[in-house]
């Protein structure tokens, strides 16, 4: 399934959950605080800007934000919140598309680098970030740590979420370093469930750092969250900041 088929009109309409989930103030507040600090008064570019979950509040903080986004329906949803003068967006692939710059900060959040399904594309994404940055500029990546410790030999699927009306499970292809997340939603009195799927190429932190080096970056910091909690062997995700030489 292609990314533009996944991020279709229906998904774009349902993406925003104002005030809850990934839109909850306790999630978005620290994200925007940290990104505003890292922008340091300069311009910011969001790869895979989506409906502007992060970009809109960041722009409201006074940071000049631009975006790249593959899905037209996601851009149209963003346009209900901010026009092209407030947040310019180029429709295209974050591994190759170009936005007039330069920028002090490029950021790519919510595991979205794993939506690029080959190592080559992921490396190109780092290179594209580097091309958009001024000397000393930063590329911030928020990404989950592959959860393979929960996958016993011979088993291919792991349930990562189970609550009223929802079951989420990941299926793994460890040979190709791929994973598909399946989201089953059901409810009411009917027996029908809706399933949404998204394919990913998962990346180990060390591999991510090597991609950064290939593009000319050094790892400046890695934390377990946006508030700066220490990254440990038990961390489920990380916020990694890569920096170009001055
Ligand atoms: C999980 S959403 C994240 C959106 C937004 N960054 C956020 O934090 O809410 C993933 C987004 O990545 C976009 N996307 C996937 N592959 C892409 C690519 N190669 N280039 C640009 N955007 C892409 C999708 O269309 C979708 O809008």
């Amino acid at each position: 399934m292609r990314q533009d088929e996944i991020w279709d009109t229906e998904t774009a309409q349902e993406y925003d959950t104002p005030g809850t989930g990934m839109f909850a103030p306790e999630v978005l507040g620290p994200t925007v605080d940290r990104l505003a600090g890292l922008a340091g008064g300069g311009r910011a570019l969001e790869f895979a800007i989506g409906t502007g979950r992060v970009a809109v509040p960041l722009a409201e903080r006074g940071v000049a934000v631009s975006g790249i986004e593959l899905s037209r329906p996601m851009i149209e949803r963003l346009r209900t919140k901010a026009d092209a003068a407030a947040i310019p967006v180029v429709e295209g692939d974050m591994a190759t598309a170009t936005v007039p710059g330069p920028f002090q900060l490029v950021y790519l959040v919510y595991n979205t680098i794993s939506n690029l399904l080959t190592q080559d594309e992921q490396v190109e994404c780092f290179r594209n970030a580097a091309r958009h940055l001024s000397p000393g500029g930063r590329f911030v990546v928020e990404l989950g740590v592959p959860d393979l410790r929960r996958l016993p030999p011979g088993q291919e699927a792991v349930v990562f979420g189970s609550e009223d009306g929802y079951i989420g499970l990941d299926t793994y292809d460890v040979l190709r370093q791929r994973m598909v997340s399946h989201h089953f939603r059901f409810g009411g009195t009917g027996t029908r469930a809706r399933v949404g799927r998204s394919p990913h190429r998962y990346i180990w932190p060390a591999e991510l750092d090597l991609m950064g080096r290939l593009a000319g970056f050094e790892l400046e910091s890695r934390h377990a969250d946006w508030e700066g909690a220490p990254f440990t062997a038990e961390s489920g995700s990380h916020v990694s900041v890569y920096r170009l030489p001055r």
Side-chain angles (χ1 to χ4, degrees), residues 2-4 6-8 11-12 15-16 22-23 28 31 46-55 68-75 90-97 107-117 121 125 142 200:
R2 295 195 329 249
Q3 290 295 330
D4 58 341
I6 296 168
W7 302 98
D8 61 6
T11 306
Y15 188 82
D16 288 15
M22 66 202 291
F23 285 77
L28 268 181
T31 308
E46 180 168 357
F47 280 0
I49 192 169
T51 65
R53 181 181 68 94
V54 175
I68 295 175
E69 170 57 50
L70 202 61
S71 156
R72 187 166 297 173
M74 293 293 273
I75 299 172
V90 167
E91 186 180 333
D93 187 330
M94 60 189 169
T96 53
Y107 64 95
L108 176 52
V109 298
Y110 219 76
N111 301 325
T112 305
I113 192 169
S114 70
N115 288 158
L116 296 169
L117 298 181
E121 287 175 293
C125 181
E142 179 191 24
H200 303 266

Side-chain angles (χ1 to χ4, degrees), residues 11 20 23 47 59 76 78 104 106 115 118 124 130-131 134 145 150 158 180 186 230:
T11 306
T20 63
F23 285 77
F47 280 0
E76 283 168 1
L78 164 60
Q104 270 305 110
V106 178
N115 288 158
T118 67
E124 278 314 304
R131 279 194 289 273
S134 308
V145 177
R150 298 177 63 202
V158 169
V180 179
F186 48 90

